[in-house]
Amino acid sequence: MRKNIVAGNWKMNNSLQEGLTLAKDLQSALNGKTLNCEVVICPPFIHLAHIAGEVRTIGLGAQNCADKVSGAYTGEVSAAMVASTGAQYVILGHSERRAYYAETNDILKEKVLLALANELTPIFCIGEVLSEREAGIQNQVVESQICEGLFDLSAEDFGKIVLAYEPVWAIGTGKTASPEQAQEMHAFIRKTVAGKYGAQVADETSILYGGSCNAGNAKELFSNPDVDGGLIGGASLAVDKFMPIVEAF
Ligand code: 13P
């Protein structure tokens, strides 16, 4: 069966020292707990190698990787470098990367291949902006992000992908998708995957929800049959805000 995952996307927050403290405190809070989900944290690149030494039961991911293997790409961090820190995941196609750094589905396709080649699990983000939802075209938008970014993969490789539906209008706004809106879209995403790869691959794909998910709404969101966890921004930056989300499963 597919995995439930609660992943924290720290975005561009925390000094190295603050990040280490947060990771250590989260690991302490998790020690001895039996959970119904895997917990993952995605700190900034420079934290990864340090935090890898502090976490035992927490998965570790990067927030991005380069679309090139190696070489003269100043400022970039490759999938191989991410993997060499001990990280197992990489968030790809976050809406902030798409919007502020012009990441297209074509670029993301390369990143996905490099992540998989380095045995990283991509957490591939998809989601519509407000005007697209208002125009009622959210399904087409999400479908094309999935098709263009991922549907060149073999079924075996697609089986290694985690999807994260993050409606852009819900990110950092305090305006969460309703449980019904989340379920409706997640079911549509699973149907889209089933149409390409068949029911078994679709059933085994974890689809996370992201966008103003917090201690107050996580339980209701996660109780939907097609919502397999969350990708958490702001509420992942404090243990007392993140733990209730983790424990919402
Ligand atoms: P918030 O939880 O802060 O809305 O951010 C969601 C997100 O973008 C996670 O990737």
Side-chain angles (χ1 to χ4, degrees):
M1 264 318 278
R2 57 183 179 256
K3 265 199 261 187
N4 294 326
I5 300 170
V6 174
N9 175 8
W10 290 5
K11 306 193 181 184
M12 196 173 73
N13 291 293
N14 289 329
S15 67
L16 176 58
Q17 290 73 21
E18 288 163 342
L20 267 171
T21 301
L22 177 54
K24 280 188 211 178
D25 289 351
L26 181 63
Q27 184 61 70
S28 304
L30 289 167
N31 285 343
K33 290 243 156 78
T34 309
L35 300 172
N36 291 319
C37 65
E38 182 171 337
V39 180
V40 177
I41 53 175
C42 301
F45 286 132
I46 60 151
H47 296 44
L48 287 173
H50 299 269
I51 288 181
E54 300 295 339
V55 291
R56 289 178 300 284
T57 59
I58 305 173
L60 190 60
Q63 299 170 20
N64 181 28
C65 71
D67 60 339
K68 305 286 193 302
V69 174
S70 66
Y73 301 101
T74 302
E76 287 294 291
V77 175
S78 72
M81 292 172 186
V82 170
S84 73
T85 68
Q88 310 90 31
Y89 290 89
V90 59
I91 298 173
L92 293 175
H94 192 281
S95 64
E96 289 149 16
R97 302 291 320 169
R98 292 176 187 264
Y100 307 144
Y101 301 95
E103 292 195 4
T104 61
N105 291 321
D106 276 348
I107 293 173
L108 293 171
K109 208 153 79 173
E110 298 304 314
K111 296 190 178 199
V112 167
L113 291 174
L114 288 166
L116 291 173
N118 287 282
E119 290 175 18
L120 293 170
T121 299
I123 301 176
F124 191 84
C125 301
I126 51 189
E128 80 284 358
V129 300
L130 183 60
S131 60
E132 292 164 337
R133 176 154 288 259
E134 283 173 347
I137 57 166
Q138 65 272 15
N139 287 10
Q140 289 99 299
V141 170
V142 166
E143 186 175 20
S144 69
Q145 289 169 337
I146 299 173
C147 289
E148 290 170 26
L150 297 172
F151 276 3
D152 282 347
L153 295 175
S154 65
E156 190 190 342
D157 277 346
F158 189 90
K160 299 170 187 161
I161 303 284
V162 171
L163 293 174
Y165 170 58
E166 298 206 305
V168 180
W169 47 270
I171 295 177
T173 59
K175 195 168 178 246
T176 319
S178 68
E180 295 75 26
Q181 284 172 321
Q183 170 55 27
E184 192 180 14
M185 179 58 87
H186 283 226
F188 171 75
I189 292 167
R190 204 176 301 287
K191 196 175 98 198
T192 303
V193 173
K196 170 78 181 173
Y197 294 108
Q200 193 184 339
V201 170
D203 278 349
E204 286 170 3
T205 302
S206 297
I207 308 175
L208 317 184
Y209 168 81
S212 298
C213 187
N214 58 41
N217 57 33
K219 220 180 185 75
E220 221 187 334
L221 284 162
F222 297 170
S223 66
N224 286 294
D226 288 299
V227 179
D228 309 311
L231 183 55
I232 318 300
S236 70
L237 294 172
V239 173
D240 62 341
K241 294 201 170 91
F242 193 53
M243 276 304 286
I245 304 177
V246 167
E247 294 180 305
F249 266 114

